Amino acid sequence: MTTLSRPPVDPSAPKPARRTILRNWLLVGLQDSKGAHQGPGGVPTAQEKKHTWWQVMCLTGVDYFSTLGYQPAIAALAAGVISPLATLVLVAITLLGALPVYRRVAGESHRGEGSIAMLERLMPRWGGKLFVLVLLGFAATDFMITMTLSAADATAHLVQNPVAPGWLQGQNVPVTLILLALLGAVFLRGFKEAIGVAVVIVGLYLGLNVVVVAASLWEVLSHPLAVDNWWQAISTSHGNPLLAVGFALLVFPKLALGLSGFETGVAVMPQIKGHADDTEEYPAGRIQGARKLLTTAALIMSTFLIVSSFTTVVLIPEQEFQPGGQANGRALAFLAHEHLGVGFGTVYDISTIAILWFAGASAMAGLLNLVPRYLPRYGMAPGWARAVRPLVLVFTLIGFLITWLFDADVDAQGGAYATGVLVLMTSAAVAVTLSARRQRQRKRTVGFGVIAVVFIYTTVANIIERPEGIRIASIFILGIIVISLLSRARRSFELHATHVHLDRQALEFMSDELEGPLRIVAHEPLRLSAEAYRQKLESAIEVSHLPLDYRALFLEVIVDDSSDFETELEVRGITRHGYRILEVHGPVVPNTIASVLLHIRDVTGLMPHIYFRWTEGNPLTNLLRFLAFGEGEIAPVTREVLREAEPDVTRRPWVHVG
């Protein structure tokens, strides 16, 4: 006997239009309000397999470890012969600053929200929303430049490989665009088993780097004259060793790319397998695993950075680091070819290209987590922003534009990348400082405060040194804010409630009406005296021709935070001065009233009628008050929200105004 997994298709049924098929394909998963997806940062369901911390470390490592592909060359170009000293400063900031900060972030945002969510909780209302939008602009800068810079550096490794065909020379932009297009195609198709792929790529890449670094160290030890020449160059150019150390501290901000990966490490926390007794409120096993992940990744990366910065600056001529040089953006690859042969160097290039390309996948997943998590919930993105595929197309097109503007140049994008990374790390340091202060942990407050000051200095120094970074970030920030505010205005007439609940008393108030209609009088909760209720009832009876024996049922909306968009509504039935009142807290008065009326209709089967007074004042001013503060022109906006939500006029609650 054969069974079918789905009902047979009716051959007589008309085929859907191509536009409908395309729309359904693009918006698959739209019902998922959190934008979950099969990607490196996707949040797995309870039934999905989770992984050990070291496997997830490989997932975040495709972003963090991939910086070895270009970090030593950037350090040598920025700091010259003292790049090893500047790298030591970078490692100290990593282990003593970034690592403690993000270990605490992991404990306070175990769902993968990161430091942005911590600051969001500390800064409510419109100020907090705008601050989050600014941080999202820097995060978008970080992740988008990660994609384009990594793809550009992968192209550099491909084009400069000795066995690469000659026609690839000078074709960096087209090749980078192809890599970005392939990245977008992967996410359009669906991204499964990301962790398994990451483990293979990171394992191969780190193993090859161990060979390259070991061979380079052996080469340095075999030629002590090279070390003497390097030390002589430091002495000649900087004289006093203390001056060299001071200069290393000054140029450290240029090396900030080596701090990339901590925010991603927190974002992938939901993928970590915890303990059997973990709770969603405090998954101790997941947090412990995340801290092991962050610590191990930082130690591995710090070791590679110290050794590679030393061997590259000692063994590679200075002119090779300059634009057009063989080591520009690919110092370790240069050493692999130089000391281990073309065959091994080509294998190393392939592994580097793979991890750099996959670093773009990690960055894409970070964007796909951030945008659906915040903007739709704020009402600051179209409804389709919850779906993965339209966002992938948008981010891929932006990546094309950035690549074209920067001519696929790794060095030209370094400032913007460092700015995004440093601002996010600064926000994390500030967030944990405020958290420690709120919990009255004096020593930790001071310690994290010092770290925050260091990151603030580093960020400001990087912006002064490379202002193009803040310019690019400003474009992202301005774009996000403008699009968000326009989207918020456009979506202002939608229902905001994600859930409506009537308590027992509220249901009892409506149980007296067996046949309907169910008459409800809207009332402002600012006037709570017995006289105010009496006047409102008399006015409604006189103007709206309600029965003289009408037993009043009032509906009051208390506006808590008008900047919120998606909310859960709890309707309480209370009695005040002998009058029955339905009280509900919401961000916007008209939309909240509309949501409550539709829910009452569905629960009771009775048609609600709502009675308003006209709002005094200029209509334009009232509209602006509605957009900003959730109040203003209540009656007509309520009617418009109901019209948008319920196309069938016979099922639409009635709005009366007098």
Side-chain angles (χ1 to χ4, degrees):
M1 179 178 179
T2 303
T3 59
L4 295 176
S5 58
R6 63 181 66 182
V9 178
D10 184 0
S12 63
K15 294 183 179 180
R18 291 183 179 180
R19 180 178 298 180
T20 302
I21 295 174
L22 177 62
R23 184 178 184 277
N24 293 339
W25 179 79
L26 283 173
L27 299 183
V28 64
L30 182 61
Q31 71 279 4
D32 180 5
S33 63
K34 294 184 178 179
H37 57 92
Q38 294 293 329
V43 180
T45 63
Q47 293 76 26
E48 289 184 40
K49 178 184 177 182
K50 297 189 179 182
H51 306 268
T52 57
W53 65 267
W54 65 267
Q55 291 175 312
V56 182
M57 182 189 71
C58 294
L59 186 58
T60 186
V62 295
D63 179 14
Y64 193 22
F65 299 144
S66 67
T67 56
L68 285 171
Y70 48 81
Q71 175 69 15
I74 290 178
L77 189 63
V81 292
I82 66 165
S83 64
L85 298 179
T87 301
L88 284 175
V89 177
L90 173 66
V91 168
I93 297 298
T94 298
L95 299 180
L96 302 179
L99 181 58
V101 164
Y102 277 93
R103 282 174 63 91
R104 176 141 187 157
V105 172
E108 298 196 22
S109 62
H110 51 265
R111 295 182 180 88
E113 308 98 324
S115 58
I116 295 179
M118 294 177 63
L119 290 170
E120 180 191 26
R121 291 193 292 267
L122 293 171
M123 301 179 65
R125 301 187 181 276
W126 282 110
K129 300 293 190 298
L130 291 175
F131 185 72
V132 168
L133 290 180
V134 171
L135 288 181
L136 286 176
F138 284 109
T141 304
D142 180 7
F143 289 128
M144 285 302 310
I145 300 297
T146 296
M147 290 168 51
T148 57
L149 184 146
S150 298
D153 198 51
T155 299
H157 283 77
L158 175 62
V159 171
Q160 296 183 28
N161 186 282
V163 300
W167 57 266
L168 282 177
Q169 298 299 322
Q171 302 299 317
N172 292 54
V173 172
V175 174
T176 303
L177 293 178
I178 291 173
L179 291 177
L180 289 173
L182 290 174
L183 178 66
V186 168
F187 275 90
L188 290 175
R189 174 67 178 82
F191 203 92
K192 296 183 178 180
E193 304 302 331
I195 290 181
V197 176
V199 169
V200 173
I201 291 178
V202 170
L204 176 63
Y205 183 69
L206 292 182
L208 292 174
N209 271 284
V210 169
V211 175
V212 173
V213 168
S216 302
L217 275 176
W218 176 256
E219 192 69 23
V220 169
L221 294 175
S222 302
H223 299 82
L225 182 60
V227 179
D228 293 338
N229 292 337
W230 167 71
W231 188 254
Q232 184 65 33
I234 292 180
S235 302
T236 303
S237 59
H238 298 284
N240 192 320
L242 292 178
L243 292 178
V245 173
F247 186 72
L249 291 172
L250 290 176
V251 301
F252 151 70
K254 297 181 180 180
L255 278 63
L257 295 181
L259 293 169
S260 171
F262 280 95
E263 196 75 28
T264 309
V266 175
V268 299
M269 277 186 66
Q271 300 282 353
I272 298 175
K273 182 190 300 181
H275 298 154
D277 56 351
D278 277 0
T279 63
E280 188 56 32
E281 291 72 23
Y282 189 79
R286 185 195 305 172
I287 293 172
Q288 182 182 12
R291 288 171 174 167
K292 289 180 180 178
L293 178 157
L294 294 168
T295 303
T296 305
L299 290 173
I300 292 174
M301 190 64 177
S302 298
T303 303
F304 274 115
L305 285 176
I306 291 172
V307 178
S308 63
S309 66
F310 174 67
T311 57
T312 52
V313 78
V314 170
L315 297 176
I316 300 177
E318 183 179 354
Q319 64 271 15
E320 296 293 348
F321 292 112
Q322 301 301 318
Q326 291 297 310
N328 180 248
R330 57 188 300 275
L332 289 177
F334 179 90
L335 292 178
H337 283 276
E338 188 76 11
H339 301 292
L340 295 170
V342 174
F344 182 90
T346 300
V347 173
Y348 183 82
D349 278 340
I350 293 173
S351 72
T352 305
I353 292 169
I355 196 170
L356 286 168
W357 180 76
F358 215 72
S362 179
M364 176 75 84
L367 286 167
L368 294 176
N369 280 337
L370 281 177
V371 170
R373 176 168 288 164
Y374 291 101
L375 296 185
R377 180 162 56 89
Y378 292 173
M380 293 180 171
W384 54 258
R386 290 194 180 98
V388 171
R389 284 169 177 161
L391 289 179
V392 170
L393 293 175
V394 171
F395 296 145
T396 302
L397 291 175
I398 294 174
F400 286 173
L401 178 62
I402 294 173
T403 298
W404 176 70
L405 291 175
F406 285 96
D407 200 30
D409 189 336
V410 175
D411 296 329
Q413 299 176 69
Y417 187 18
T419 299
V421 171
L422 287 172
V423 169
L424 287 181
M425 302 197 83
T426 301
S427 69
V430 171
V432 298
T433 302
L434 296 176
S435 173
R437 182 184 178 187
R438 189 175 64 248
Q439 298 179 30
R440 299 181 179 180
Q441 299 170 335
R442 183 171 301 178
K443 292 183 179 179
R444 294 186 180 184
T445 301
V446 173
F448 287 130
V450 171
I451 295 172
V453 170
V454 172
F455 278 123
I456 290 172
Y457 155 74
T458 306
T459 304
V460 173
N462 180 78
I463 290 173
I464 294 173
E465 179 70 24
R466 308 185 72 173
E468 71 276 7
I470 194 65
R471 295 193 194 107
I472 296 170
S474 298
I475 294 173
F476 277 103
I477 293 168
L478 181 63
I480 286 177
I481 290 178
V482 170
I483 293 173
S484 297
L485 294 180
L486 290 175
S487 177
R488 179 67 184 247
R490 182 176 178 273
R491 298 187 63 192
S492 292
F493 299 100
E494 296 180 8
L495 294 176
H496 293 186
T498 58
H499 172 78
V500 182
H501 176 259
L502 299 168
D503 71 0
R504 182 175 180 178
Q505 186 64 63
L507 291 171
E508 289 181 356
F509 284 164
M510 292 176 284
S511 62
D512 294 341
E513 299 289 345
L514 299 180
E515 298 181 359
L518 187 60
R519 300 180 178 91
I520 302 172
V521 178
H523 184 257
E524 304 84 359
L526 299 178
R527 302 171 62 244
L528 302 179
S529 65
E531 180 66 16
Y533 287 106
R534 186 185 64 79
Q535 289 180 358
K536 176 59 73 69
L537 177 58
E538 290 179 353
S539 175
I541 291 175
E542 178 180 358
V543 174
S544 300
H545 307 291
L546 291 172
L548 296 177
D549 60 348
Y550 168 60
R551 190 181 176 193
L553 177 61
F554 293 96
L555 175 58
E556 297 178 351
V557 178
I558 301 173
V559 177
D560 291 329
D561 184 354
S562 60
S563 66
D564 286 338
F565 191 82
E566 294 183 349
T567 55
E568 294 185 3
L569 303 180
E570 299 289 336
V571 184
R572 297 190 310 123
I574 62 174
T575 302
R576 185 180 294 130
H577 306 301
Y579 295 100
R580 302 178 305 165
I581 300 166
L582 301 177
E583 183 184 81
V584 58
H585 290 252
V588 185
V589 176
N591 310 68
T592 301
I593 291 176
S595 297
V596 172
L597 294 178
L598 290 170
H599 185 71
I600 289 174
R601 179 203 66 182
D602 296 337
V603 168
T604 65
L606 303 176
M607 181 58 70
H609 286 235
I610 186 80
Y611 296 85
F612 294 98
R613 283 179 179 173
W614 286 112
T615 304
E616 295 293 332
N618 184 282
L620 180 58
T621 302
N622 285 333
L623 178 61
L624 294 176
R625 285 179 59 207
F626 161 68
L627 294 174
F629 305 111
E631 301 173 344
E633 200 71 54
I634 306 299
V637 176
T638 301
R639 194 265 178 189
E640 178 60 22
V641 174
L642 287 170
R643 190 186 69 83
E644 291 278 351
E646 179 52 78
D648 187 353
V649 68
T650 63
R651 289 181 43 79
R652 189 183 304 157
W654 285 71
V655 175
H656 304 263
V657 191

mmCIF file of all heavy atoms in Angstrom, residues 369-397:
data_model
loop_
_atom_site.group_PDB
_atom_site.id
_atom_site.type_symbol
_atom_site.label_atom_id
_atom_site.label_comp_id
_atom_site.label_asym_id
_atom_site.label_seq_id
_atom_site.Cartn_x
_atom_site.Cartn_y
_atom_site.Cartn_z
ATOM 1 N N ASN A 369 20.239 38.236 11.759
ATOM 2 C CA ASN A 369 19.748 38.151 13.135
ATOM 3 C C ASN A 369 19.380 39.518 13.678
ATOM 4 O O ASN A 369 18.361 39.684 14.358
ATOM 5 C CB ASN A 369 20.815 37.520 14.044
ATOM 6 C CG ASN A 369 20.851 36.017 13.923
ATOM 7 O OD1 ASN A 369 19.869 35.395 13.531
ATOM 8 N ND2 ASN A 369 21.984 35.423 14.243
ATOM 9 N N LEU A 370 20.188 40.528 13.393
ATOM 10 C CA LEU A 370 19.974 41.848 13.974
ATOM 11 C C LEU A 370 18.733 42.532 13.414
ATOM 12 O O LEU A 370 17.902 43.046 14.175
ATOM 13 C CB LEU A 370 21.198 42.728 13.725
ATOM 14 C CG LEU A 370 22.399 42.518 14.641
ATOM 15 C CD1 LEU A 370 23.542 43.415 14.206
ATOM 16 C CD2 LEU A 370 22.031 42.800 16.088
ATOM 17 N N VAL A 371 18.608 42.568 12.093
ATOM 18 C CA VAL A 371 17.519 43.331 11.481
ATOM 19 C C VAL A 371 16.144 42.796 11.891
ATOM 20 O O VAL A 371 15.285 43.561 12.358
ATOM 21 C CB VAL A 371 17.682 43.365 9.952
ATOM 22 C CG1 VAL A 371 16.435 43.950 9.292
ATOM 23 C CG2 VAL A 371 18.913 44.186 9.579
ATOM 24 N N PRO A 372 15.857 41.482 11.752
ATOM 25 C CA PRO A 372 14.529 41.004 12.169
ATOM 26 C C PRO A 372 14.295 41.111 13.681
ATOM 27 O O PRO A 372 13.163 41.166 14.120
ATOM 28 C CB PRO A 372 14.517 39.535 11.725
ATOM 29 C CG PRO A 372 15.606 39.424 10.718
ATOM 30 C CD PRO A 372 16.650 40.398 11.151
ATOM 31 N N ARG A 373 15.368 41.118 14.464
ATOM 32 C CA ARG A 373 15.207 41.141 15.915
ATOM 33 C C ARG A 373 14.750 42.503 16.416
ATOM 34 O O ARG A 373 14.004 42.594 17.392
ATOM 35 C CB ARG A 373 16.522 40.748 16.583
ATOM 36 C CG ARG A 373 16.508 40.833 18.096
ATOM 37 C CD ARG A 373 17.711 40.158 18.675
ATOM 38 N NE ARG A 373 17.609 38.719 18.546
ATOM 39 C CZ ARG A 373 18.633 37.881 18.677
ATOM 40 N NH1 ARG A 373 19.832 38.358 18.905
ATOM 41 N NH2 ARG A 373 18.458 36.590 18.557
ATOM 42 N N TYR A 374 15.173 43.569 15.757
ATOM 43 C CA TYR A 374 14.887 44.914 16.268
ATOM 44 C C TYR A 374 13.913 45.700 15.396
ATOM 45 O O TYR A 374 12.877 46.162 15.873
ATOM 46 C CB TYR A 374 16.197 45.700 16.404
ATOM 47 C CG TYR A 374 17.089 45.191 17.500
ATOM 48 C CD1 TYR A 374 18.180 44.381 17.214
ATOM 49 C CD2 TYR A 374 16.848 45.513 18.834
ATOM 50 C CE1 TYR A 374 19.001 43.906 18.215
ATOM 51 C CE2 TYR A 374 17.668 45.041 19.842
ATOM 52 C CZ TYR A 374 18.742 44.236 19.530
ATOM 53 O OH TYR A 374 19.546 43.762 20.529
ATOM 54 N N LEU A 375 14.240 45.873 14.113
ATOM 55 C CA LEU A 375 13.496 46.836 13.311
ATOM 56 C C LEU A 375 12.017 46.500 13.152
ATOM 57 O O LEU A 375 11.168 47.376 13.354
ATOM 58 C CB LEU A 375 14.174 46.996 11.943
ATOM 59 C CG LEU A 375 15.586 47.595 11.990
ATOM 60 C CD1 LEU A 375 16.109 47.825 10.574
ATOM 61 C CD2 LEU A 375 15.612 48.888 12.783
ATOM 62 N N PRO A 376 11.619 45.268 12.799
ATOM 63 C CA PRO A 376 10.176 45.004 12.716
ATOM 64 C C PRO A 376 9.471 45.174 14.063
ATOM 65 O O PRO A 376 8.335 45.636 14.108
ATOM 66 C CB PRO A 376 10.109 43.549 12.230
ATOM 67 C CG PRO A 376 11.409 43.317 11.546
ATOM 68 C CD PRO A 376 12.413 44.115 12.333
ATOM 69 N N ARG A 377 10.155 44.810 15.141
ATOM 70 C CA ARG A 377 9.545 44.964 16.473
ATOM 71 C C ARG A 377 9.342 46.429 16.822
ATOM 72 O O ARG A 377 8.428 46.782 17.565
ATOM 73 C CB ARG A 377 10.438 44.283 17.517
ATOM 74 C CG ARG A 377 9.930 44.367 18.936
ATOM 75 C CD ARG A 377 10.594 43.333 19.812
ATOM 76 N NE ARG A 377 12.041 43.434 19.780
ATOM 77 C CZ ARG A 377 12.749 44.220 20.610
ATOM 78 N NH1 ARG A 377 12.122 44.979 21.488
ATOM 79 N NH2 ARG A 377 14.069 44.246 20.545
ATOM 80 N N TYR A 378 10.188 47.293 16.297
ATOM 81 C CA TYR A 378 10.019 48.731 16.497
ATOM 82 C C TYR A 378 9.031 49.339 15.504
ATOM 83 O O TYR A 378 8.737 50.533 15.574
ATOM 84 C CB TYR A 378 11.354 49.458 16.312
ATOM 85 C CG TYR A 378 12.393 49.182 17.369
ATOM 86 C CD1 TYR A 378 13.684 49.675 17.229
ATOM 87 C CD2 TYR A 378 12.108 48.440 18.514
ATOM 88 C CE1 TYR A 378 14.655 49.437 18.190
ATOM 89 C CE2 TYR A 378 13.067 48.191 19.462
ATOM 90 C CZ TYR A 378 14.347 48.686 19.299
ATOM 91 O OH TYR A 378 15.304 48.450 20.253
ATOM 92 N N GLY A 379 8.547 48.541 14.557
ATOM 93 C CA GLY A 379 7.723 49.091 13.492
ATOM 94 C C GLY A 379 8.544 49.869 12.495
ATOM 95 O O GLY A 379 8.006 50.647 11.705
ATOM 96 N N MET A 380 9.867 49.692 12.495
ATOM 97 C CA MET A 380 10.764 50.509 11.691
ATOM 98 C C MET A 380 11.335 49.744 10.509
ATOM 99 O O MET A 380 12.447 50.034 10.049
ATOM 100 C CB MET A 380 11.887 51.060 12.567
ATOM 101 C CG MET A 380 11.382 52.062 13.601
ATOM 102 S SD MET A 380 12.689 52.722 14.637
ATOM 103 C CE MET A 380 11.786 54.023 15.499
ATOM 104 N N ALA A 381 10.614 48.763 10.045
ATOM 105 C CA ALA A 381 10.985 48.045 8.830
ATOM 106 C C ALA A 381 9.711 47.459 8.242
ATOM 107 O O ALA A 381 8.754 47.182 8.973
ATOM 108 C CB ALA A 381 12.000 46.936 9.138
ATOM 109 N N PRO A 382 9.659 47.288 6.929
ATOM 110 C CA PRO A 382 8.476 46.662 6.328
ATOM 111 C C PRO A 382 8.273 45.254 6.870
ATOM 112 O O PRO A 382 9.196 44.630 7.410
ATOM 113 C CB PRO A 382 8.818 46.641 4.832
ATOM 114 C CG PRO A 382 9.898 47.646 4.661
ATOM 115 C CD PRO A 382 10.669 47.664 5.936
ATOM 116 N N GLY A 383 7.076 44.751 6.718
ATOM 117 C CA GLY A 383 6.776 43.424 7.228
ATOM 118 C C GLY A 383 7.658 42.344 6.628
ATOM 119 O O GLY A 383 7.996 41.365 7.290
ATOM 120 N N TRP A 384 8.078 42.519 5.357
ATOM 121 C CA TRP A 384 8.895 41.483 4.721
ATOM 122 C C TRP A 384 10.306 41.417 5.296
ATOM 123 O O TRP A 384 11.065 40.498 4.969
ATOM 124 C CB TRP A 384 8.955 41.677 3.214
ATOM 125 C CG TRP A 384 9.400 43.037 2.733
ATOM 126 C CD1 TRP A 384 8.613 44.037 2.270
ATOM 127 C CD2 TRP A 384 10.746 43.535 2.656
ATOM 128 N NE1 TRP A 384 9.363 45.130 1.912
ATOM 129 C CE2 TRP A 384 10.682 44.845 2.135
ATOM 130 C CE3 TRP A 384 11.991 43.009 2.974
ATOM 131 C CZ2 TRP A 384 11.807 45.634 1.931
ATOM 132 C CZ3 TRP A 384 13.129 43.785 2.781
ATOM 133 C CH2 TRP A 384 13.038 45.075 2.265
ATOM 134 N N ALA A 385 10.688 42.372 6.155
ATOM 135 C CA ALA A 385 12.033 42.343 6.737
ATOM 136 C C ALA A 385 12.212 41.180 7.706
ATOM 137 O O ALA A 385 13.330 40.910 8.145
ATOM 138 C CB ALA A 385 12.323 43.658 7.452
ATOM 139 N N ARG A 386 11.117 40.483 8.058
ATOM 140 C CA ARG A 386 11.239 39.277 8.885
ATOM 141 C C ARG A 386 11.654 38.065 8.055
ATOM 142 O O ARG A 386 12.066 37.055 8.603
ATOM 143 C CB ARG A 386 9.911 38.975 9.572
ATOM 144 C CG ARG A 386 9.535 39.953 10.659
ATOM 145 C CD ARG A 386 8.395 39.379 11.481
ATOM 146 N NE ARG A 386 7.992 40.280 12.539
ATOM 147 C CZ ARG A 386 6.962 41.109 12.464
ATOM 148 N NH1 ARG A 386 6.255 41.146 11.353
ATOM 149 N NH2 ARG A 386 6.662 41.900 13.470
ATOM 150 N N ALA A 387 11.500 38.149 6.753
ATOM 151 C CA ALA A 387 11.857 37.035 5.888
ATOM 152 C C ALA A 387 13.330 37.152 5.485
ATOM 153 O O ALA A 387 13.860 38.244 5.294
ATOM 154 C CB ALA A 387 10.968 37.024 4.641
ATOM 155 N N VAL A 388 13.983 36.002 5.351
ATOM 156 C CA VAL A 388 15.425 35.981 5.111
ATOM 157 C C VAL A 388 15.764 36.400 3.686
ATOM 158 O O VAL A 388 16.667 37.225 3.459
ATOM 159 C CB VAL A 388 15.988 34.572 5.406
ATOM 160 C CG1 VAL A 388 17.429 34.470 4.947
ATOM 161 C CG2 VAL A 388 15.884 34.261 6.881
ATOM 162 N N ARG A 389 15.080 35.849 2.703
ATOM 163 C CA ARG A 389 15.523 36.005 1.320
ATOM 164 C C ARG A 389 15.494 37.451 0.816
ATOM 165 O O ARG A 389 16.449 37.883 0.149
ATOM 166 C CB ARG A 389 14.687 35.085 0.427
ATOM 167 C CG ARG A 389 15.123 33.624 0.556
ATOM 168 C CD ARG A 389 14.163 32.662 -0.086
ATOM 169 N NE ARG A 389 14.684 31.290 0.007
ATOM 170 C CZ ARG A 389 13.934 30.212 -0.130
ATOM 171 N NH1 ARG A 389 12.631 30.333 -0.387
ATOM 172 N NH2 ARG A 389 14.467 29.010 -0.016
ATOM 173 N N PRO A 390 14.447 38.249 1.099
ATOM 174 C CA PRO A 390 14.526 39.647 0.663
ATOM 175 C C PRO A 390 15.699 40.394 1.296
ATOM 176 O O PRO A 390 16.353 41.204 0.633
ATOM 177 C CB PRO A 390 13.181 40.232 1.115
ATOM 178 C CG PRO A 390 12.272 39.070 1.244
ATOM 179 C CD PRO A 390 13.137 37.939 1.692
ATOM 180 N N LEU A 391 15.975 40.100 2.574
ATOM 181 C CA LEU A 391 17.109 40.753 3.233
ATOM 182 C C LEU A 391 18.429 40.331 2.590
ATOM 183 O O LEU A 391 19.343 41.150 2.443
ATOM 184 C CB LEU A 391 17.123 40.411 4.721
ATOM 185 C CG LEU A 391 16.019 41.041 5.579
ATOM 186 C CD1 LEU A 391 16.158 40.587 7.019
ATOM 187 C CD2 LEU A 391 16.067 42.556 5.504
ATOM 188 N N VAL A 392 18.539 39.062 2.230
ATOM 189 C CA VAL A 392 19.767 38.592 1.572
ATOM 190 C C VAL A 392 19.995 39.371 0.276
ATOM 191 O O VAL A 392 21.118 39.802 -0.022
ATOM 192 C CB VAL A 392 19.687 37.082 1.293
ATOM 193 C CG1 VAL A 392 20.839 36.636 0.398
ATOM 194 C CG2 VAL A 392 19.705 36.292 2.596
ATOM 195 N N LEU A 393 18.938 39.563 -0.504
ATOM 196 C CA LEU A 393 19.070 40.324 -1.747
ATOM 197 C C LEU A 393 19.498 41.760 -1.473
ATOM 198 O O LEU A 393 20.373 42.307 -2.166
ATOM 199 C CB LEU A 393 17.747 40.301 -2.515
ATOM 200 C CG LEU A 393 17.312 38.939 -3.076
ATOM 201 C CD1 LEU A 393 15.934 39.038 -3.703
ATOM 202 C CD2 LEU A 393 18.325 38.431 -4.100
ATOM 203 N N VAL A 394 18.892 42.375 -0.458
ATOM 204 C CA VAL A 394 19.245 43.759 -0.118
ATOM 205 C C VAL A 394 20.709 43.856 0.304
ATOM 206 O O VAL A 394 21.464 44.718 -0.176
ATOM 207 C CB VAL A 394 18.321 44.289 0.997
ATOM 208 C CG1 VAL A 394 18.825 45.632 1.517
ATOM 209 C CG2 VAL A 394 16.898 44.438 0.483
ATOM 210 N N PHE A 395 21.135 42.970 1.215
ATOM 211 C CA PHE A 395 22.514 43.031 1.711
ATOM 212 C C PHE A 395 23.522 42.705 0.604
ATOM 213 O O PHE A 395 24.610 43.288 0.557
ATOM 214 C CB PHE A 395 22.692 42.059 2.887
ATOM 215 C CG PHE A 395 21.856 42.401 4.083
ATOM 216 C CD1 PHE A 395 21.318 41.397 4.882
ATOM 217 C CD2 PHE A 395 21.591 43.711 4.412
ATOM 218 C CE1 PHE A 395 20.545 41.698 5.985
ATOM 219 C CE2 PHE A 395 20.814 44.033 5.512
ATOM 220 C CZ PHE A 395 20.288 43.027 6.297
ATOM 221 N N THR A 396 23.167 41.796 -0.285
ATOM 222 C CA THR A 396 24.074 41.467 -1.386
ATOM 223 C C THR A 396 24.250 42.658 -2.317
ATOM 224 O O THR A 396 25.374 42.968 -2.749
ATOM 225 C CB THR A 396 23.541 40.259 -2.173
ATOM 226 O OG1 THR A 396 23.390 39.142 -1.287
ATOM 227 C CG2 THR A 396 24.499 39.876 -3.287
ATOM 228 N N LEU A 397 23.167 43.354 -2.618
ATOM 229 C CA LEU A 397 23.265 44.538 -3.478
ATOM 230 C C LEU A 397 24.090 45.637 -2.807
ATOM 231 O O LEU A 397 24.877 46.326 -3.472
ATOM 232 C CB LEU A 397 21.861 45.049 -3.816
ATOM 233 C CG LEU A 397 21.034 44.155 -4.744
ATOM 234 C CD1 LEU A 397 19.621 44.715 -4.912
ATOM 235 C CD2 LEU A 397 21.708 44.014 -6.103
#
